[in-house]
Amino acid sequence: NNIERGVTMKKIYIIILFLFVIPLLSSCKIETAELDFDAEFNRIYASIPSVYFEDIILPSGVEPYTVKYQVDNEDLTGSILIFELQAEDQEIELEVIIESGNQKEKFYISIIQVGIRVLYNDIQTNDVFYKAFLKADAYIPYLVTSNFTLHTFEDNEEIEVEYLVNCTDIVRGRVVYTFPEDDVDCGVYSSITYNGETRMEIIPFTMSAVENLPHISAIHIDTSGNDSIDNNYEYVRATLSMYNNGDPENPYLEDVPLGIRLRGNSTLYMPKKSFKIKFDEKIRLTNAYQEKDWVLLANFTDQTLVRNFVAFQMSRGLDMDFTPTYVFVDVYLNDEYLGNYMLTDQIEVTNHRVDIEENVSTIDTGYLIEYDMGISRDPIKMANENIFYVDGIPFVIKSPQYEDAHYLTGHKQFIENYMNEVFDTLENGEEYDHLIDEESFIDWFIVSEVFKNVDSGYSSVFYYKDAGGLLKMGPLWDFDLSSGNQGHLGDDLRGPEGWYTPRHDKNRLFYYLWQYPEFQEALKERWNEVYETVILQVLDNIFEAADSITYSRLQNFQRWDVIGINYDWYTAPEVYAIDTYDEQVWFLHDYLKERIEWLDEEINDL
C-alpha cells in the first residue's frame, strides 16, 4: 500500500509540474526577457544626447542584443545620425530596433537640433560674404592697364556693394586708368552689405605706367621714294612690315611688296585717310586665310574708334555669312604715325569672303551688288559699265566685273531684271519667299537698326546671290557714322528713338517689307531669340573693345586732337559737346542702351 501510495503521489507531482509549475516558470522567463529589452533601451537612451550639432555615432547592442536605427523607416548607414544644417530647429524621431534571437522590440527617441537657426544663419552669412567678395575680387586685375568694370551684383537684390579706390576715380562702376608715368600701388575698398551686416575688404592692384601698357600689332608701310598717296584709283608701290604687339623685334611680316591707295568717299576729304592695300601675292594678315586685298579703316569720324568693330562683332554673334574681319592695328606711313586703324577685309567674292559661285560662263552665276546712292559723287565710278538703276536707286555690280575676260553681256541684264522683280513684288505686296532670303534680311536689319546706321539707306549696302539661289543681304559695312554720331542728320533722325531703315526716304526695299505682317512677325521672333545672348551683349562689347586699345587710342588722339574740338558736318552736336574719350564711350553705351530698349518695346508691340 505504501508503495502504491508513493507511486500515486509521484504521478500527482508530475501532473502538477506540467499543469502549474512549468507554465508559471515560462511566464516568469518571458516577463524577465521583456524587462531586459527595456533595460537595453534605457542603456542606449542614456548614451544618446538630447540635442546635437554634429554627426553622432549611435551605440551598438550588448550581447545577446543587436541594435539598428531608422529615421522615417530608412536604416541609418553605419548607425550614424548625420547632422544636416537646417534653417529652422528640427525634431528628429529616431527609431531604435533591439533584437535578441527571434524576438525584437522597437523604441523611439526624439532628438532636437537646438540653436540651429543661429548656427545656420552664421554659416550662411559667412558663405554669402565669402562668395560675394570672391566674385568682387575676380573683376579686379592685379595689374591695371586700362579702365575696368567693377562687379555690381545686379543679379542679387539682397547684396549691396560700394567701392572706393585710393588712386583714381570710379565713374559709373568703372575704375578709370590715369596713364601714370610710373607704376602706382592702389587698392579697391569693397564694402558689401548683406542682411543688415556690412563687411569690408581691401584688394590691392598696381596701375601700370603708361610706357608698360600692352601694344596692339603695328603695320609699317613705306612707299617707293616716299611717294605720297593722293587718290582712290591709283596704287602707289610700297612695302609692308607688321610687328606683333608693335615690337620691331617680333616681326610677323617684313618688307612685303604691295600697292596702296586711298579708299572711301566722304572719308577721302578727312585728315586721317583710309587705305586699300593690294599685295602682289596672297598674304595672311592675322587670319586663317590668305588674300591679296585688305582694307585699313581710319574711323576718323568715330571718336570712340569702336563702332565698326562692335557692329561686326554683333554680325558674328548673329552668325551672319561673310562677317568682315575686325582687328585693331597701329599704322605708320613712311615712319609717320597715322593712328589707330581697323584692319578688315575687302568686300569681294573669294573663297574666304563672299563665297559664292564665280563661274561667269553662265548667266545665273553668283552676284555681289551694292546699293550706292553716293555713286554720283565719283565720276570714275559713274563711268562704270556695271551700274544699273531700279526704282531710281543705283546698284553697282561688284561681281562679276565688267573687266573680267569671261564676262557675258547678259550678266548685267539678268541681275537688273532680278532686282526689278524683287522691287515690283514687294511694292505690290506679293509673295516674296521665292526671291529673297528673309532670314538674312532680318539679321542685317537688326544690326542696322540697333546702330541706327546712316548708310543703311544710302550706300555700302551689299546684296549677294549665289548661282540659282535667293537674294541675300550682306556683308555688313560702314558703321562709323552711326549710333548718335550722324552729324548731318536732323535732331528727329539722329536720336535713339524712331525707325530709320524702313523709311521710304531711306531703304526702299525695307519700306516695302515693313508692310508685310509676316515680315514683322518673323522680325519679332528673331529679335527675341537673340535679345539676351547677342543684342544686349553689344553694351559690354563696347567697353571690351575700348579697353583693348588703351595705349593705341592715347596715341591716336594725341596725333588727331579732335575730341571736343573738331566740329564738321559729320560731328553731331552731342558728340562735339563731349571732351574726353571715356565720356565718348559712355555716350555710345547710353545711346545704344536707350536704342535697344526702344526697339525692344516697339518690336514686341508689332
Side-chain angles (χ1 to χ4, degrees):
N1 290 338
N2 288 336
I3 293 172
E4 291 177 354
R5 186 182 300 114
V7 171
T8 301
M9 290 301 295
K10 187 174 182 179
K11 290 180 179 179
I12 292 172
Y13 290 149
I14 291 171
I15 291 170
I16 291 171
L17 178 64
F18 278 97
L19 291 178
F20 299 105
V21 177
I22 291 177
L24 179 62
L25 291 174
S26 297
S27 175
C28 291
K29 183 177 180 181
I30 291 172
E31 185 174 346
T32 301
E34 289 177 348
L35 289 174
D36 289 340
F37 272 100
D38 288 339
E40 178 67 358
F41 169 73
N42 289 336
R43 182 189 68 81
I44 291 170
Y45 180 79
S47 63
I48 296 177
S50 59
V51 298
Y52 71 107
F53 302 95
E54 59 186 359
D55 295 351
I56 302 173
I57 300 176
L58 300 169
S60 302
V62 176
E63 291 187 356
Y65 301 103
T66 59
V67 179
K68 68 177 181 178
Y69 301 92
Q70 293 181 340
V71 174
D72 296 330
N73 294 320
E74 295 289 334
D75 290 344
L76 297 184
T77 302
S79 296
I80 298 175
L81 183 59
I82 302 297
F83 175 76
E84 296 181 358
L85 191 63
Q86 302 290 335
E88 303 289 340
D89 296 350
Q90 186 171 353
E91 180 176 338
I92 306 297
E93 188 170 68
L94 183 67
E95 303 162 31
V96 184
I97 301 169
I98 305 175
E99 298 185 55
S100 178
N102 60 358
Q103 299 183 58
K104 67 179 179 179
E105 294 287 340
K106 180 179 284 191
F107 303 90
Y108 298 92
I109 301 175
S110 294
I111 306 177
I112 305 296
Q113 296 184 2
V114 177
I116 298 306
R117 175 185 294 276
V118 175
L119 181 61
Y120 176 82
N121 287 342
D122 285 347
I123 294 175
Q124 183 198 46
T125 298
N126 289 338
D127 187 59
V128 169
F129 275 109
Y130 172 75
K131 291 179 178 177
F133 280 116
L134 202 63
K135 184 170 287 189
D137 296 352
Y139 284 76
I140 303 171
Y142 174 74
L143 181 65
V144 170
T145 57
S146 69
N147 295 356
F148 66 92
T149 302
L150 296 163
H151 188 64
T152 59
F153 297 96
E154 291 181 355
D155 56 342
N156 190 336
E157 296 180 353
E158 295 182 330
I159 296 177
E160 296 178 2
V161 62
E162 292 184 359
Y163 297 101
L164 289 174
V165 181
N166 61 2
C167 65
T168 184
D169 295 326
I170 300 175
V171 178
R172 296 174 63 177
R174 283 177 53 82
V175 175
V176 178
Y177 176 77
T178 60
F179 299 94
E181 292 185 3
D182 300 303
D183 287 353
V184 178
D185 293 330
C186 303
V188 175
Y189 296 74
S190 307
S191 179
I192 293 178
T193 300
Y194 168 74
N195 202 23
E197 181 180 352
T198 300
R199 300 183 188 180
M200 190 178 74
E201 188 174 88
I202 303 174
I203 303 300
F205 69 86
T206 300
M207 185 173 289
S208 173
V210 63
E211 65 177 13
N212 296 326
L213 290 178
H215 292 203
I216 60 177
S217 294
I219 288 178
H220 289 252
I221 297 173
D222 296 300
T223 61
S224 178
N226 283 345
D227 289 347
S228 61
I229 305 167
D230 298 324
N231 57 59
N232 63 347
Y233 52 87
E234 292 180 324
Y235 284 99
V236 174
R237 294 303 299 170
T239 59
L240 179 146
S241 298
M242 186 171 184
Y243 303 107
N244 295 316
N245 305 316
D247 182 4
E249 301 298 321
N250 188 12
Y252 176 72
L253 297 170
E254 285 192 294
D255 298 327
V256 182
L258 52 68
I260 181 170
R261 64 170 174 82
L262 302 181
R263 74 163 309 280
N265 293 308
S266 58
T267 55
L268 287 173
Y269 308 100
M270 296 177 186
K272 183 185 176 186
K273 311 297 186 183
S274 294
F275 300 98
K276 180 182 176 183
I277 55 179
K278 189 178 188 71
F279 291 99
D280 296 350
E281 304 290 339
K282 290 185 177 182
I283 293 292
R284 181 178 291 107
L285 284 183
T286 71
N287 293 283
Y289 54 84
Q290 296 178 323
E291 292 289 354
K292 285 187 176 182
D293 298 320
W294 298 88
V295 171
L296 292 166
L297 292 179
N299 293 316
F300 182 71
T301 64
D302 177 8
Q303 296 183 21
T304 70
L305 302 171
V306 304
R307 281 175 169 85
N308 270 311
F309 189 97
V310 177
F312 288 176
Q313 274 188 314
M314 188 176 181
S315 171
R316 184 153 295 171
L318 291 171
D319 200 24
M320 295 180 67
D321 291 338
F322 319 134
T323 298
T325 299
Y326 45 96
V327 177
F328 287 119
V329 293
D330 284 319
V331 174
Y332 296 80
L333 179 62
N334 296 324
D335 294 327
E336 179 187 4
Y337 178 67
L338 296 189
N340 173 279
Y341 280 71
M342 194 173 84
L343 171 64
T344 186
D345 296 299
Q346 170 73 10
I347 303 300
E348 61 180 349
V349 175
T350 75
N351 292 338
H352 303 119
R353 288 170 175 166
V354 182
D355 187 11
I356 58 176
E357 179 63 54
E358 284 191 285
N359 180 10
V360 296
S361 61
T362 60
I363 295 299
D364 190 5
T365 184
Y367 288 87
L368 173 64
I369 61 176
E370 179 185 2
Y371 175 131
D372 188 4
M373 295 291 288
I375 198 168
S376 60
R377 297 172 302 180
D378 192 330
I380 295 178
K381 287 185 178 179
M382 284 292 291
N384 194 326
E385 296 290 339
N386 271 18
I387 298 175
F388 64 88
Y389 291 81
V390 179
D391 209 12
I393 300 167
F395 287 87
V396 181
I397 304 174
K398 314 296 285 187
S399 180
Q401 296 181 7
Y402 181 74
E403 297 84 2
D404 290 343
H406 300 288
Y407 183 87
L408 301 179
T409 56
H411 278 133
K412 178 179 176 182
Q413 194 61 52
F414 175 86
I415 194 62
E416 181 177 351
N417 290 344
Y418 195 98
M419 293 302 293
N420 269 298
E421 185 179 1
V422 170
F423 271 77
D424 291 342
T425 297
L426 295 178
E427 186 175 10
N428 294 327
E430 299 169 0
E431 293 294 327
Y432 57 76
D433 56 2
H434 64 294
L435 292 171
I436 70 171
D437 178 76
E438 184 183 69
E439 291 182 3
S440 71
F441 273 67
I442 285 174
D443 283 350
W444 188 95
F445 177 84
I446 286 175
V447 181
S448 297
E449 278 300 285
V450 165
F451 283 82
K452 208 171 192 180
N453 186 16
V454 70
D455 283 326
S456 67
Y458 185 72
S459 66
S460 301
V461 178
F462 292 99
Y463 303 82
Y464 62 94
K465 179 186 178 302
D466 211 345
L470 302 177
L471 185 71
K472 297 184 178 183
M473 289 211 70
L476 285 161
W477 191 254
D478 212 359
F479 282 78
D480 55 336
L481 287 175
S482 71
S483 317
N485 197 35
Q486 319 93 320
H488 54 301
L489 293 184
D491 294 348
D492 57 329
L493 289 179
R494 195 171 59 246
E497 297 184 355
W499 295 106
Y500 188 83
T501 304
R503 291 169 57 98
H504 185 269
D505 60 338
K506 299 305 173 186
N507 193 307
R508 213 160 304 155
L509 274 182
F510 280 101
Y511 171 78
Y512 296 143
L513 278 170
W514 201 245
Q515 315 310 314
Y516 287 80
E518 57 267 38
F519 178 82
Q520 294 188 357
E521 189 60 33
L523 169 65
K524 181 192 298 186
E525 181 179 351
R526 178 60 167 163
W527 175 271
N528 288 314
E529 177 188 358
V530 298
Y531 182 74
E532 295 287 342
T533 56
V534 179
I535 296 172
L536 290 181
Q537 183 62 37
V538 169
L539 302 177
D540 289 335
N541 290 346
I542 294 168
F543 295 116
E544 291 176 5
D547 293 345
S548 73
I549 57 171
T550 299
Y551 186 74
S552 179
R553 57 97 167 173
L554 172 69
Q555 284 188 303
N556 182 87
F557 291 113
Q558 288 174 343
R559 174 68 176 82
W560 306 104
D561 188 13
V562 296
I563 297 179
I565 295 174
N566 187 60
Y567 190 47
D568 212 320
W569 62 267
Y570 44 78
T571 308
E574 298 86 358
V575 170
Y576 177 67
I578 300 170
D579 59 7
T580 71
Y581 178 81
D582 287 345
E583 289 172 334
Q584 289 285 349
V585 173
W586 274 113
F587 172 82
L588 175 59
H589 172 275
D590 294 345
Y591 183 99
L592 288 179
K593 183 174 185 294
E594 189 174 346
R595 177 73 176 155
I596 289 168
E597 289 171 351
W598 185 88
L599 286 169
D600 187 54
E601 183 175 348
E602 291 294 316
I603 290 173
N604 283 292
D605 282 344
L606 292 174

